[in-house]
Amino acid sequence: MDVGTSFTILGLGGSGGARTTSLGAGTTGSTPSSLFGPPAQVSINESAPTVVGFRDYTTLGTSGVWQFNLQAVLNPTTTSAADAVLLPPEQQEAEAKAVEQALMYVDEGNYDAARQLMNDLLAQNKTNAAAVHALGYADLSEGKFAEAEQLFLKAHAMDPAVGYDKDAQNARILQGDDESVLRQAQAMARDPKSREESIRILISLTQRSPDNVTARVALAEAMLDQGDAGNGLMQYGTAVRLATANELPQIEARLAELAAEIPESAFVRQLLGKAQLGQGRYEDAVATLTEASKLGEGDVAFQRDLAAAYVGLGREALRRNDVNAAQGHFQRARELDPTGYETKQAVAEGHIARAEQLVRLGRADAALTSYRKAADLIQFGGDKTLRLRGARGAYAVGRTLERKRIASGAEIGGEALAYQIAYDLSQQNADYKEKLAETRNAIGDQLVAEGDYLAAAQSYRRAYDLFNKNETYKNNTINAFVAYADWRLYNLNYDDAIERYREAYAIDTSNTATKQKLADAYNARGVYYREEKDYKKAVLSFKEALRLFPNNTTYQANYDALRGWDV
């Protein structure tokens, strides 16, 4: 899960149930070195007890938000209630809705639209402090912290009661470097009075530096202390995903504490398992994620992580050359996550390892079965390195089988499958493509010698599909289809004969001999239908023959005799 989504935390919340919430995400930055080290003491102004964030000021329609002259802020003198001009309720409501829309634009990243909307509002009513604050929020979200501070101060001068000065203070803190901002935010987080503001600062810090794991952890801890378990754990989820090998042990230790505190939480246990997974401790991860999956009642997300742990165990087994154990782990992963990309890659890797093992044992024929299974999984969209490895292995098996077949004088067999697998896995390889076409053509010759013209035509056709400029493959395909069609026509199987003549003719429409055979077959079928007194079918067959050769007098006479049935 990532921080840009809504979510449900299993086993958390004030009453032990589910809690749903969301957070936004940001851009780039740096990562301080310590995750949990003690922050430096920083003096924080805590004189204002009211905690107010960057949002939710548009409901103050009856306060003084709407009533102060902006020019007095730009040219400060004194501000008093005597300067107030109360606006009609309907205008206050319309302006509140406009401010809320601007804040939504900012959350969507549409800063120009937000600024345009607020500038238009201020052009009509210069006293709207919430609109000035919204402009500051746009600058803050874009990382323009100095500009945001000035706008928040202006909004505060217009209405000191709301607490816009806290936003200005946060914007000033955010003008520092990442480590400075982090230290101040951690210090603020220790005090419940300023923790809410520390959270807002840390959110902005993680927006500008999304890979800052230390900031993610600090934000997670502040949210947990604030009672926002859902978003706090989401930040831990992102931290686990981003953390380096050196950072993960500390995060794992903290998640283990949380798992002990909230043993019924599937999500906490899932995060703990992911931390173990990230460190390559696959057996521990399997145990932890199995428990998470049980607590999560078989939720797909938990099963996918558990599958990843089994994949890790399988790859460890492959490094030990224990192919049997590896395939067992991979099969378990596939049961848990049958459609996952990484799972498919791992299962295919296991099949290729098995094939390579069989080749070493001299069982080339058996190896082809494993290569075929791998190709079925990774032929489309699989890892390129793995595909090339499988293609090379299958091609090598094909060459071995071909040499054995030639030496023994046997017919073509497994080598054709081997070359097909190699081509399926690496279609850009000219050697694989050429060898496959040659083999298919040779199989066609073999089938012709056996009198199986249709199978021969189909084999020739596969060679021709690979090299459609090759005249030998083309002519072999046409001749085999014609030979089969001649035989079917001789046996009065007109429909089958016509279908195969049409296939031959489609390959080369300039071949008049094939065209003539097709037309004669249509005419012969017409004569047959005429003798059976099925005149509607007869006239349509004569019509097809005439379309191919409009000047043929025999076809024309046959058609004319039944023209009246052509309706």
Side-chain angles (χ1 to χ4, degrees):
M1 303 183 201
D2 202 351
V3 292
T5 59
S6 295
F7 62 93
T8 299
I9 302 301
L10 300 175
L12 293 176
S15 60
R19 178 172 183 173
T20 304
T21 184
S22 65
L23 274 179
T27 52
T28 58
S30 60
T31 304
S33 57
S34 174
L35 292 176
F36 297 99
Q41 296 296 322
V42 180
S43 176
I44 302 295
N45 178 11
E46 299 174 354
S47 59
T50 305
V51 177
V52 181
F54 302 142
R55 303 271 317 263
D56 302 331
Y57 306 111
T58 56
T59 60
L60 304 178
T62 58
S63 74
V65 171
W66 317 96
Q67 302 168 9
F68 292 95
N69 188 330
L70 183 59
Q71 294 302 319
V73 179
L74 297 176
N75 301 288
T77 54
T78 58
T79 303
S80 69
D83 298 320
V85 178
L86 188 64
L87 299 175
E90 59 272 15
Q91 183 174 346
Q92 294 182 32
E93 182 179 356
E95 291 186 0
K97 289 181 178 179
V99 171
E100 183 62 24
Q101 181 62 58
L103 295 173
M104 290 175 63
Y105 282 146
V106 173
D107 290 340
E108 295 167 359
N110 196 349
Y111 306 117
D112 290 341
R115 291 189 179 100
Q116 182 65 53
L117 186 59
M118 291 299 90
N119 286 329
D120 288 345
L121 190 159
L122 290 168
Q124 298 297 318
N125 175 20
K126 296 180 180 179
T127 69
N128 193 321
V132 176
H133 173 268
L135 290 173
Y137 182 50
D139 280 346
L140 186 85
S141 299
E142 273 200 298
K144 300 176 180 178
F145 302 117
E147 293 88 339
E149 179 191 5
Q150 293 304 309
L151 287 166
F152 291 147
L153 287 173
K154 289 177 183 179
H156 177 65
M158 294 167 70
D159 185 8
V162 177
Y164 294 136
D165 58 327
K166 284 187 173 290
D167 292 343
Q169 173 185 281
N170 294 344
R172 175 168 294 182
I173 291 172
L174 285 163
Q175 292 172 50
D177 60 55
D178 284 5
E179 292 192 27
S180 170
V181 172
L182 181 60
R183 284 196 302 272
Q184 294 185 70
Q186 287 175 317
M188 293 170 67
R190 291 200 303 274
D191 189 331
K193 294 180 181 180
S194 56
R195 185 175 296 134
E196 183 72 21
E197 296 310 312
S198 77
I199 290 172
R200 299 183 190 282
I201 292 169
L202 288 167
I203 288 173
S204 290
L205 177 57
T206 55
Q207 285 175 338
R208 85 184 189 192
S209 302
D211 295 339
N212 190 325
V213 174
T214 311
R216 294 280 181 189
V217 169
L219 177 56
E221 287 296 313
M223 286 176 164
L224 290 173
D225 289 341
Q226 194 73 358
D228 187 358
N231 278 319
L233 292 177
M234 287 295 288
Q235 292 298 327
Y236 261 122
T238 304
V240 168
R241 178 172 56 83
L242 297 173
T244 65
N246 291 332
E247 293 167 329
L248 277 171
Q250 298 178 71
I251 295 175
E252 182 194 351
R254 176 59 177 138
L255 290 171
E257 293 176 359
L258 291 173
E261 293 171 11
I262 322 172
E264 74 279 7
S265 172
F267 187 47
V268 171
R269 207 161 292 275
Q270 181 189 33
L271 293 179
L272 176 59
K274 284 185 172 183
Q276 294 165 343
L277 191 60
Q279 297 172 75
R281 299 207 335 266
Y282 301 116
E283 289 188 4
D284 291 340
V286 164
T288 302
L289 292 168
T290 297
E291 185 62 26
S293 184
K294 290 178 182 177
L295 291 169
E297 298 180 349
D299 185 276
V300 172
F302 298 113
Q303 291 186 344
R304 188 174 297 119
D305 289 330
L306 182 54
Y310 275 109
V311 166
L313 283 178
R315 287 181 171 148
E316 280 188 342
L318 284 183
R319 286 191 286 273
R320 300 192 305 269
N321 294 319
D322 190 345
V323 178
N324 289 336
Q327 287 198 306
H329 293 313
F330 292 150
Q331 184 57 40
R332 178 62 180 136
R334 192 175 189 185
E335 292 169 0
L336 291 162
D337 184 22
T339 61
Y341 173 85
E342 193 61 34
T343 304
K344 286 184 177 180
Q345 300 304 298
V347 174
E349 189 176 348
H351 286 314
I352 290 174
R354 170 68 75 198
E356 292 167 345
Q357 182 185 64
L358 291 169
V359 168
R360 290 193 295 271
L361 295 171
R363 300 174 59 193
D365 287 314
L368 286 181
T369 301
S370 292
Y371 278 127
R372 180 71 271 170
K373 289 178 179 179
D376 289 341
L377 289 168
I378 61 173
Q379 178 179 351
F380 304 106
D383 177 76
K384 183 177 180 181
T385 300
L386 189 60
R387 288 202 315 271
L388 292 178
R389 174 182 162 190
R392 285 193 297 268
Y395 184 75
V397 168
R399 294 307 300 267
T400 298
L401 294 175
E402 182 181 8
R403 286 192 295 269
K404 289 182 178 179
R405 189 260 307 169
I406 292 173
S408 66
E411 295 182 344
I412 297 172
E415 68 201 71
L417 175 59
Y419 295 143
Q420 181 67 62
I421 294 169
Y423 175 72
D424 288 344
L425 290 171
S426 182
Q427 295 187 10
Q428 303 306 313
N429 188 298
D431 290 337
Y432 302 164
K433 183 178 180 181
E434 183 176 355
K435 199 66 179 175
L436 177 59
E438 289 176 359
T439 303
R440 285 175 171 173
N441 188 70
I443 290 174
D445 292 343
Q446 188 173 287
L447 291 167
V448 165
E450 296 170 358
D452 192 346
Y453 295 108
L454 181 57
Q458 292 166 341
S459 189
Y460 288 137
R461 181 66 174 267
R462 294 189 184 100
Y464 178 62
D465 287 342
L466 290 169
F467 291 96
N468 58 16
K469 302 297 183 182
N470 187 298
E471 290 295 317
T472 298
Y473 298 160
K474 180 179 77 172
N475 291 333
N476 286 347
T477 306
I478 292 172
N479 292 339
F481 274 127
V482 168
Y484 176 79
D486 288 346
W487 174 64
R488 298 304 283 161
L489 186 62
Y490 176 78
N491 286 279
L492 306 182
N493 193 320
Y494 301 107
D495 291 343
D496 197 11
I498 287 171
E499 181 182 353
R500 303 310 173 180
Y501 282 137
R502 288 179 62 181
E503 288 191 73
Y505 178 59
I507 292 171
D508 183 4
T509 56
S510 67
N511 188 318
T512 56
T514 305
K515 183 179 181 182
Q516 186 65 64
K517 282 180 175 287
L518 176 58
D520 286 342
Y522 275 124
N523 186 69
R525 187 173 68 176
V527 170
Y528 167 78
Y529 283 136
R530 184 179 63 191
E531 291 174 353
E532 294 294 315
K533 301 188 185 307
D534 193 343
Y535 301 125
K536 286 186 177 180
K537 289 184 178 179
V539 75
L540 291 177
S541 289
F542 292 140
K543 189 175 183 179
E544 291 296 331
L546 196 57
R547 282 176 177 169
L548 290 167
F549 288 98
N551 298 322
N552 186 292
T553 56
T554 300
Y555 303 160
Q556 186 69 59
N558 288 339
Y559 174 76
D560 289 344
L562 299 176
R563 182 186 295 271
W565 293 92
D566 187 10
V567 292

